[in-house]
Coordinates of all heavy atoms in Angstrom, one line a residue:
M1 N 100.2 102.4 98.4 CA 100.7 102.0 99.7 C 102.2 102.4 99.8 O 103.0 102.1 98.9 CB 100.5 100.5 99.9 CG 101.1 100.0 101.2 SD 101.2 98.2 101.2 CE 100.2 97.8 102.5
M2 N 102.6 103.0 100.9 CA 104.0 103.4 101.1 C 104.8 102.2 101.3 O 104.4 101.2 102.0 CB 104.1 104.3 102.4 CG 103.5 105.7 102.2 SD 104.6 106.7 101.2 CE 106.0 106.8 102.3
P3 N 106.0 102.2 100.8 CA 106.9 101.0 101.0 C 107.3 101.0 102.5 O 107.4 102.0 103.2 CB 108.1 101.3 100.2 CG 108.0 102.7 99.7 CD 106.6 103.1 99.9
K4 N 107.5 99.8 103.0 CA 107.9 99.7 104.4 C 109.4 100.1 104.5 O 110.2 100.0 103.6 CB 107.8 98.2 104.9 CG 106.3 97.8 104.9 CD 106.2 96.4 105.4 CE 104.8 96.0 105.4 NZ 104.6 94.6 105.9
T5 N 109.7 100.6 105.7 CA 111.1 101.0 106.0 C 111.9 99.7 106.3 O 111.4 98.7 106.6 CB 111.2 102.0 107.2 OG1 110.8 101.3 108.4 CG2 110.4 103.2 106.9
R6 N 113.2 99.9 106.3 CA 114.1 98.8 106.7 C 113.8 98.3 108.1 O 113.7 97.1 108.4 CB 115.5 99.3 106.5 CG 116.6 98.4 107.2 CD 116.9 97.2 106.3 NE 117.8 96.4 107.1 CZ 119.1 96.5 107.1 NH1 119.7 97.4 106.4 NH2 119.9 95.7 107.8
A7 N 113.6 99.3 109.0 CA 113.3 98.9 110.4 C 112.0 98.2 110.5 O 111.9 97.2 111.3 CB 113.2 100.2 111.3
E8 N 111.0 98.5 109.8 CA 109.7 97.8 109.8 C 109.9 96.4 109.3 O 109.3 95.4 109.9 CB 108.6 98.5 109.0 CG 108.2 99.8 109.6 CD 107.3 100.7 108.7 OE1 107.5 100.6 107.4 OE2 106.5 101.4 109.2
L9 N 110.6 96.2 108.2 CA 110.8 94.9 107.7 C 111.7 94.0 108.6 O 111.4 92.8 108.8 CB 111.4 95.0 106.3 CG 110.5 95.5 105.2 CD1 111.2 95.8 104.0 CD2 109.4 94.5 105.0
D10 N 112.7 94.6 109.2 CA 113.5 93.9 110.2 C 112.7 93.4 111.4 O 112.8 92.3 111.8 CB 114.7 94.8 110.7 CG 115.8 95.0 109.7 OD1 115.8 94.3 108.6 OD2 116.7 95.8 110.0
A11 N 111.8 94.3 111.8 CA 110.9 94.0 113.0 C 110.0 92.8 112.6 O 109.8 91.9 113.5 CB 110.1 95.2 113.4
E12 N 109.5 92.8 111.4 CA 108.6 91.7 111.0 C 109.4 90.4 110.9 O 108.9 89.3 111.4 CB 108.0 92.0 109.6 CG 106.9 93.0 109.6 CD 106.4 93.3 108.2 OE1 106.6 92.5 107.3 OE2 105.7 94.3 108.1
L13 N 110.6 90.4 110.4 CA 111.4 89.2 110.4 C 111.7 88.7 111.8 O 111.7 87.5 112.0 CB 112.7 89.4 109.6 CG 112.5 89.7 108.1 CD1 113.9 90.1 107.5 CD2 112.0 88.4 107.4
I14 N 112.1 89.6 112.6 CA 112.4 89.2 114.0 C 111.2 88.6 114.7 O 111.3 87.6 115.4 CB 113.0 90.4 114.8 CG1 114.4 90.8 114.2 CG2 113.1 90.2 116.3 CD1 115.0 92.1 114.7
A15 N 110.1 89.2 114.5 CA 108.8 88.7 115.1 C 108.5 87.3 114.6 O 108.1 86.4 115.4 CB 107.7 89.6 114.9
R16 N 108.8 87.1 113.3 CA 108.4 85.8 112.7 C 109.4 84.7 113.2 O 109.0 83.6 113.5 CB 108.5 85.9 111.2 CG 108.1 84.6 110.5 CD 107.7 84.7 109.1 NE 107.5 83.4 108.5 CZ 107.3 83.2 107.3 NH1 107.4 84.2 106.4 NH2 107.2 82.0 106.8
V17 N 110.7 85.0 113.3 CA 111.6 84.0 113.8 C 111.4 83.6 115.2 O 111.7 82.5 115.7 CB 113.1 84.4 113.6 CG1 113.4 84.6 112.1 CG2 113.6 85.5 114.4
A18 N 110.8 84.5 116.0 CA 110.5 84.2 117.4 C 109.5 83.1 117.5 O 109.5 82.4 118.5 CB 110.0 85.5 118.1
D19 N 108.6 83.0 116.5 CA 107.5 82.0 116.6 C 107.7 80.8 115.6 O 106.9 79.9 115.6 CB 106.2 82.7 116.2 CG 105.7 83.7 117.2 OD1 106.1 83.6 118.4 OD2 105.1 84.7 116.8
D20 N 108.7 80.9 114.8 CA 108.8 79.9 113.7 C 110.3 79.4 113.6 O 111.1 80.1 112.9 CB 108.3 80.5 112.4 CG 108.2 79.5 111.3 OD1 108.9 78.4 111.3 OD2 107.5 79.8 110.3
E21 N 110.7 78.3 114.2 CA 112.0 77.9 114.2 C 112.5 77.4 112.8 O 113.7 77.6 112.5 CB 112.2 76.7 115.2 CG 112.3 77.1 116.7 CD 113.5 78.0 117.0 OE1 114.6 77.8 116.4 OE2 113.3 79.0 117.7
A22 N 111.6 76.9 112.0 CA 112.0 76.5 110.7 C 112.3 77.7 109.8 O 113.3 77.7 109.1 CB 110.8 75.7 110.0
F23 N 111.5 78.8 110.0 CA 111.8 80.0 109.3 C 113.2 80.6 109.7 O 114.0 81.0 108.9 CB 110.7 81.0 109.5 CG 110.9 82.3 108.8 CD1 110.7 82.4 107.4 CD2 111.3 83.5 109.4 CE1 110.8 83.6 106.7 CE2 111.5 84.7 108.8 CZ 111.3 84.7 107.4
R24 N 113.4 80.5 111.0 CA 114.7 81.0 111.6 C 115.9 80.3 110.9 O 116.8 80.9 110.5 CB 114.7 80.8 113.1 CG 116.0 81.3 113.8 CD 116.0 80.9 115.3 NE 116.8 81.8 116.0 CZ 116.3 82.9 116.6 NH1 115.0 83.1 116.7 NH2 117.1 83.7 117.2
A25 N 115.8 78.9 110.9 CA 116.8 78.1 110.3 C 117.0 78.5 108.8 O 118.2 78.6 108.3 CB 116.5 76.7 110.5
Q26 N 115.9 78.6 108.1 CA 116.0 79.0 106.7 C 116.6 80.3 106.5 O 117.4 80.5 105.6 CB 114.6 78.9 106.0 CG 114.0 77.5 106.0 CD 112.6 77.6 105.6 OE1 111.9 78.6 105.6 NE2 112.0 76.4 105.3
L27 N 116.2 81.3 107.3 CA 116.8 82.6 107.2 C 118.3 82.7 107.5 O 119.0 83.4 106.8 CB 116.0 83.6 108.2 CG 116.3 85.0 108.1 CD1 116.0 85.6 106.7 CD2 115.6 85.8 109.2
L28 N 118.7 81.9 108.4 CA 120.2 81.8 108.7 C 120.9 81.1 107.6 O 122.0 81.5 107.2 CB 120.4 81.0 110.0 CG 120.1 81.8 111.3 CD1 120.0 80.9 112.5 CD2 121.1 82.9 111.5
E29 N 120.3 80.1 106.9 CA 120.9 79.4 105.9 C 121.0 80.1 104.5 O 122.0 80.1 103.8 CB 120.2 78.1 105.7 CG 120.7 77.2 104.6 CD 122.1 76.6 104.9 OE1 122.4 76.4 106.1 OE2 122.8 76.3 104.0
N30 N 119.9 80.8 104.2 CA 119.8 81.5 102.9 C 119.0 82.7 103.0 O 117.8 82.8 102.5 CB 119.2 80.5 101.8 CG 119.4 81.0 100.4 OD1 119.8 82.2 100.2 ND2 119.1 80.2 99.5
P31 N 119.5 83.8 103.7 CA 118.7 85.0 104.0 C 118.1 85.7 102.8 O 117.0 86.1 102.8 CB 119.7 85.9 104.7 CG 121.1 85.3 104.4 CD 120.9 83.9 104.1
K32 N 118.9 85.8 101.7 CA 118.4 86.6 100.6 C 117.2 86.0 100.0 O 116.1 86.6 99.7 CB 119.5 86.7 99.5 CG 119.2 87.7 98.4 CD 120.5 87.8 97.6 CE 120.3 88.7 96.4 NZ 121.6 88.8 95.7
E33 N 117.2 84.7 99.7 CA 116.1 84.0 99.1 C 114.9 84.0 100.0 O 113.8 84.2 99.6 CB 116.5 82.5 98.8 CG 115.4 81.7 98.1 CD 115.8 80.3 97.8 OE1 117.0 80.1 97.3 OE2 115.0 79.4 98.0
V34 N 115.1 83.7 101.3 CA 114.0 83.7 102.3 C 113.4 85.0 102.4 O 112.1 85.1 102.4 CB 114.5 83.1 103.6 CG1 113.5 83.3 104.7 CG2 114.9 81.7 103.5
I35 N 114.1 86.1 102.5 CA 113.6 87.4 102.6 C 112.8 87.8 101.3 O 111.7 88.4 101.4 CB 114.7 88.5 102.9 CG1 115.2 88.2 104.3 CG2 114.2 89.9 102.7 CD1 116.4 89.0 104.7
Q36 N 113.3 87.5 100.2 CA 112.6 87.8 98.9 C 111.2 87.0 98.9 O 110.2 87.6 98.6 CB 113.4 87.3 97.7 CG 114.5 88.2 97.4 CD 115.3 87.9 96.1 OE1 115.4 88.7 95.3 NE2 115.8 86.7 96.0
Q37 N 111.2 85.8 99.3 CA 110.0 85.0 99.4 C 109.0 85.6 100.4 O 107.8 85.7 100.2 CB 110.3 83.5 99.6 CG 110.9 82.8 98.5 CD 111.3 81.4 98.8 OE1 111.1 80.9 99.9 NE2 111.8 80.7 97.8
A38 N 109.5 85.9 101.6 CA 108.7 86.4 102.7 C 108.1 87.8 102.4 O 107.0 88.1 102.9 CB 109.4 86.4 104.0
T39 N 108.8 88.6 101.7 CA 108.4 90.0 101.5 C 107.9 90.4 100.1 O 107.2 91.4 100.0 CB 109.6 91.0 101.9 OG1 110.6 90.8 100.9 CG2 110.1 90.8 103.3
G40 N 108.3 89.6 99.2 CA 108.0 89.9 97.8 C 108.8 91.0 97.2 O 108.6 91.4 96.1
I41 N 109.9 91.4 97.9 CA 110.8 92.4 97.4 C 111.9 91.8 96.6 O 112.5 90.8 97.0 CB 111.4 93.2 98.6 CG1 110.4 93.9 99.4 CG2 112.5 94.1 98.1 CD1 110.8 94.5 100.7
A42 N 112.1 92.3 95.4 CA 113.2 91.8 94.5 C 114.5 92.4 95.0 O 114.6 93.6 95.1 CB 112.9 92.2 93.1
I43 N 115.4 91.6 95.4 CA 116.7 92.0 95.9 C 117.7 91.8 94.7 O 117.8 90.7 94.2 CB 117.1 91.2 97.1 CG1 116.1 91.4 98.2 CG2 118.5 91.7 97.6 CD1 116.2 90.5 99.4
P44 N 118.5 92.9 94.4 CA 119.4 92.8 93.3 C 120.4 91.6 93.5 O 120.8 91.3 94.6 CB 120.2 94.1 93.3 CG 119.2 95.0 94.0 CD 118.5 94.2 95.0
E45 N 120.8 91.0 92.4 CA 121.7 89.8 92.5 C 123.0 90.1 93.2 O 123.6 89.3 93.9 CB 121.9 89.3 91.1 CG 122.8 88.0 91.1 CD 122.3 87.0 90.1 OE1 121.2 87.1 89.7 OE2 123.1 86.1 89.9
D46 N 123.5 91.3 92.9 CA 124.8 91.7 93.5 C 124.7 92.2 94.9 O 125.7 92.7 95.5 CB 125.6 92.7 92.6 CG 124.8 94.0 92.4 OD1 123.6 94.0 92.7 OD2 125.4 94.9 91.9
F47 N 123.6 92.2 95.5 CA 123.3 92.7 96.9 C 123.5 91.5 97.8 O 122.9 90.4 97.6 CB 122.0 93.3 97.0 CG 121.8 94.1 98.3 CD1 122.2 95.4 98.4 CD2 121.2 93.5 99.4 CE1 122.0 96.1 99.6 CE2 121.0 94.2 100.6 CZ 121.4 95.5 100.7
T48 N 124.2 91.7 98.9 CA 124.5 90.6 99.9 C 123.7 90.9 101.2 O 123.7 92.0 101.6 CB 126.0 90.5 100.2 OG1 126.7 90.2 99.0 CG2 126.3 89.4 101.2
I49 N 123.1 89.9 101.7 CA 122.4 90.0 103.0 C 123.1 89.0 104.0 O 123.2 87.8 103.6 CB 120.9 89.7 102.9 CG1 120.3 90.7 102.0 CG2 120.3 89.7 104.3 CD1 118.8 90.5 101.8
Q50 N 123.5 89.4 105.2 CA 124.1 88.5 106.2 C 123.1 88.6 107.4 O 122.8 89.6 107.8 CB 125.4 89.0 106.6 CG 126.4 88.9 105.4 CD 127.8 89.4 105.8 OE1 128.0 90.0 106.9 NE2 128.8 89.2 104.9
V51 N 122.8 87.4 107.9 CA 122.0 87.3 109.1 C 122.9 86.7 110.2 O 123.6 85.7 110.0 CB 120.8 86.4 108.9 CG1 120.0 86.2 110.2 CG2 119.9 87.0 107.8
H52 N 122.9 87.3 111.3 CA 123.8 86.9 112.5 C 122.8 86.6 113.6 O 121.9 87.4 113.9 CB 124.8 87.9 112.9 CG 125.7 88.3 111.7 ND1 126.8 87.6 111.4 CD2 125.6 89.3 110.8 CE1 127.4 88.1 110.4 NE2 126.7 89.2 110.0
E53 N 123.1 85.6 114.3 CA 122.3 85.2 115.5 C 123.1 85.5 116.8 O 124.2 85.0 116.9 CB 122.0 83.7 115.5 CG 121.0 83.3 116.5 CD 120.5 81.9 116.3 OE1 121.3 81.0 115.7 OE2 119.4 81.6 116.6
E54 N 122.6 86.4 117.6 CA 123.3 86.7 118.9 C 123.0 85.7 119.9 O 122.1 84.9 119.8 CB 122.8 88.1 119.4 CG 123.3 89.2 118.5 CD 123.1 90.6 119.2 OE1 122.3 90.7 120.2 OE2 123.6 91.6 118.6
N55 N 123.9 85.6 120.9 CA 123.7 84.8 122.1 C 124.1 85.5 123.3 O 124.5 86.7 123.2 CB 124.4 83.4 121.9 CG 125.9 83.5 121.8 OD1 126.5 84.3 122.5 ND2 126.4 82.8 120.8
S56 N 124.1 84.9 124.4 CA 124.5 85.6 125.7 C 125.9 86.0 125.7 O 126.3 86.9 126.5 CB 124.2 84.7 126.9 OG 125.0 83.5 126.8
M57 N 126.8 85.5 124.8 CA 128.2 85.9 124.9 C 128.7 86.6 123.6 O 129.8 86.9 123.4 CB 129.0 84.6 125.0 CG 128.8 83.9 126.3 SD 129.1 84.9 127.8 CE 130.8 85.2 127.7
T58 N 127.7 86.9 122.7 CA 128.1 87.6 121.5 C 127.1 88.7 121.1 O 125.9 88.4 121.2 CB 128.1 86.6 120.3 OG1 129.0 85.5 120.6 CG2 128.6 87.3 119.0
A59 N 127.6 89.8 120.8 CA 126.7 90.9 120.3 C 127.2 91.4 119.0 O 128.4 91.4 118.7 CB 126.7 92.1 121.3
H60 N 126.3 91.9 118.1 CA 126.7 92.4 116.8 C 126.4 93.9 116.8 O 125.3 94.3 117.2 CB 126.0 91.7 115.7 CG 126.3 90.2 115.7 ND1 127.4 89.7 115.0 CD2 125.7 89.2 116.3 CE1 127.4 88.4 115.2 NE2 126.4 88.0 115.9
V61 N 127.3 94.7 116.3 CA 127.1 96.1 116.1 C 127.2 96.4 114.6 O 128.2 96.0 113.9 CB 128.2 97.0 116.8 CG1 128.0 98.4 116.5 CG2 128.1 96.7 118.3
V62 N 126.1 97.0 114.0 CA 126.1 97.2 112.6 C 126.4 98.7 112.4 O 125.7 99.6 112.9 CB 124.7 96.9 112.0 CG1 124.7 97.2 110.5 CG2 124.4 95.4 112.2
L63 N 127.5 99.0 111.6 CA 127.9 100.4 111.3 C 127.3 100.8 110.0 O 127.3 99.9 109.0 CB 129.4 100.5 111.3 CG 130.1 100.1 112.6 CD1 131.6 100.2 112.4 CD2 129.7 100.9 113.8
P64 N 127.0 102.0 109.8 CA 126.6 102.5 108.5 C 127.8 102.6 107.6 O 128.9 102.6 108.0 CB 126.0 103.9 108.8 CG 126.7 104.3 110.0 CD 127.0 103.1 110.8
P65 N 127.5 102.6 106.3 CA 128.6 102.7 105.3 C 129.5 104.0 105.6 O 128.9 105.0 106.0 CB 128.0 102.8 104.0 CG 126.6 102.4 104.1 CD 126.2 102.6 105.6
S66 N 130.8 103.9 105.4 CA 131.6 105.0 105.6 C 131.6 105.9 104.3 O 131.2 105.4 103.2 CB 133.0 104.6 105.9 OG 133.6 103.9 104.8
G67 N 132.1 107.1 104.4 CA 132.2 108.0 103.2 C 131.0 108.8 103.1 O 130.0 108.8 103.8
Q68 N 131.1 109.6 102.0 CA 130.0 110.6 101.8 C 128.9 109.9 101.0 O 129.1 108.9 100.3 CB 130.5 111.8 101.0 CG 131.6 112.5 101.8 CD 132.1 113.7 101.0 OE1 131.9 113.8 99.8 NE2 132.6 114.7 101.7
L69 N 127.7 110.5 101.0 CA 126.6 110.1 100.3 C 126.8 110.4 98.8 O 127.3 111.4 98.4 CB 125.3 110.7 100.7 CG 124.8 110.4 102.1 CD1 123.6 111.3 102.4 CD2 124.4 109.0 102.3
T70 N 126.4 109.4 97.9 CA 126.4 109.7 96.5 C 125.3 110.6 96.1 O 124.3 110.8 96.9 CB 126.3 108.3 95.7 OG1 125.0 107.8 95.9 CG2 127.4 107.4 96.2
G71 N 125.3 111.1 94.9 CA 124.2 111.8 94.3 C 122.9 111.0 94.4 O 121.8 111.6 94.7
E72 N 123.0 109.7 94.1 CA 121.8 108.9 94.1 C 121.2 108.8 95.5 O 120.0 108.8 95.8 CB 122.1 107.5 93.6 CG 120.9 106.6 93.5 CD 121.3 105.2 92.9 OE1 121.8 105.2 91.7 OE2 121.2 104.2 93.6
D73 N 122.2 108.6 96.5 CA 121.8 108.5 97.9 C 121.0 109.8 98.3 O 120.0 109.8 99.0 CB 123.0 108.3 98.8 CG 123.6 107.0 98.7 OD1 122.9 106.0 98.2 OD2 124.8 106.9 99.0
L74 N 121.6 111.0 97.9 CA 121.0 112.2 98.3 C 119.6 112.4 97.6 O 118.7 112.9 98.3 CB 121.9 113.4 97.8 CG 123.2 113.5 98.6 CD1 124.1 114.6 98.0 CD2 122.9 113.9 100.1
E75 N 119.4 111.9 96.4 CA 118.1 112.0 95.8 C 117.1 111.2 96.5 O 116.0 111.6 96.7 CB 118.2 111.5 94.3 CG 118.9 112.5 93.4 CD 119.0 112.0 92.0 OE1 118.1 111.2 91.6 OE2 119.9 112.4 91.3
M76 N 117.5 110.0 97.0 CA 116.6 109.1 97.7 C 116.2 109.8 99.0 O 115.0 109.7 99.4 CB 117.2 107.7 98.0 CG 117.3 106.9 96.7 SD 117.6 105.2 96.9 CE 118.9 105.1 98.2
V77 N 117.1 110.4 99.7 CA 116.8 111.0 101.0 C 115.9 112.2 100.8 O 114.9 112.4 101.4 CB 118.1 111.5 101.7 CG1 117.8 112.3 102.9 CG2 119.0 110.3 102.1
A78 N 116.2 113.0 99.8 CA 115.5 114.2 99.5 C 114.1 113.9 99.1 O 113.1 114.6 99.4 CB 116.1 115.1 98.4
G79 N 113.9 112.7 98.4 CA 112.6 112.3 97.9 C 111.8 111.6 99.0 O 110.7 111.2 98.8
G80 N 112.4 111.3 100.2 CA 111.7 110.6 101.2 C 111.6 109.1 101.0 O 110.8 108.5 101.6
Y81 N 112.4 108.6 100.2 CA 112.4 107.2 99.9 C 112.8 106.4 101.1 O 113.9 106.7 101.7 CB 113.3 106.9 98.7 CG 113.2 105.5 98.1 CD1 112.1 105.1 97.4 CD2 114.3 104.7 98.3 CE1 112.0 103.8 96.9 CE2 114.2 103.4 97.7 CZ 113.1 103.0 97.1 OH 113.1 101.7 96.5
G82 N 112.1 105.4 101.5 CA 112.5 104.7 102.7 C 112.4 103.2 102.5 O 112.1 102.5 103.5
A83 N 112.6 102.7 101.3 CA 112.5 101.2 101.1 C 113.6 100.4 101.7 O 114.7 101.0 102.0 CB 112.3 101.0 99.6
F84 N 113.5 99.2 101.6 CA 114.4 98.2 102.2 C 115.7 98.1 101.5 O 116.8 98.5 102.0 CB 113.7 96.9 102.2 CG 114.1 95.9 103.2 CD1 114.6 96.2 104.4 CD2 114.1 94.5 102.9 CE1 115.0 95.3 105.3 CE2 114.5 93.6 103.8 CZ 114.9 93.9 105.0
W85 N 115.7 97.7 100.2 CA 116.9 97.5 99.5 C 116.9 98.1 98.1 O 117.2 97.5 97.1 CB 117.3 96.0 99.3 CG 117.6 95.4 100.6 CD1 118.7 95.6 101.3 CD2 116.8 94.5 101.3 NE1 118.7 94.8 102.4 CE2 117.6 94.1 102.5 CE3 115.6 93.9 101.1 CZ2 117.1 93.2 103.4 CZ3 115.1 93.0 102.1 CH2 115.9 92.7 103.2
G86 N 116.4 99.3 98.0 CA 116.4 99.8 96.7 C 115.8 101.1 96.6 O 115.4 101.9 96.0

């Protein structure tokens, strides 16, 4: 089975919080642990996840990392790797 892309996993989380207020609160409180439990994906200890909740007066823009791709990044792109956090 192909790993899900980041966009697919994000869409699943967004759909779930729309129907589950308890999950939404947990995701805002402890995103890394909740995402690991919900997806089964092991997230490295030194990796940080931030969840932001927009409202009618606030919007969030996420920028990609600056700088050039590393050799490891290029290998993942060349290999078609599309996983979430690794």
Side-chain angles (χ1 to χ4, degrees):
M1 177 194 240
M2 288 285 294
K4 293 181 181 178
T5 66
R6 166 79 187 273
E8 290 169 331
L9 291 168
D10 284 355
E12 286 180 16
L13 292 171
I14 290 167
R16 184 162 174 192
V17 300
D19 294 331
D20 187 340
E21 284 297 321
F23 181 76
R24 178 187 211 96
Q26 292 168 351
L27 187 61
L28 286 164
E29 180 71 25
N30 193 349
K32 188 173 180 178
E33 182 178 317
V34 171
I35 291 170
Q36 286 184 124
Q37 290 176 357
T39 65
I41 295 171
I43 301 170
E45 183 136 346
D46 61 346
F47 192 86
T48 302
I49 299 175
Q50 297 178 348
V51 175
H52 303 276
E53 188 172 31
E54 290 189 350
N55 60 44
S56 63
M57 298 303 293
T58 305
H60 299 273
V61 177
V62 179
L63 301 177
S66 63
Q68 297 182 341
L69 293 175
T70 65
E72 185 178 299
D73 292 335
L74 290 172
E75 285 179 29
M76 288 192 320
V77 172
Y81 188 70
F84 203 34
W85 291 290

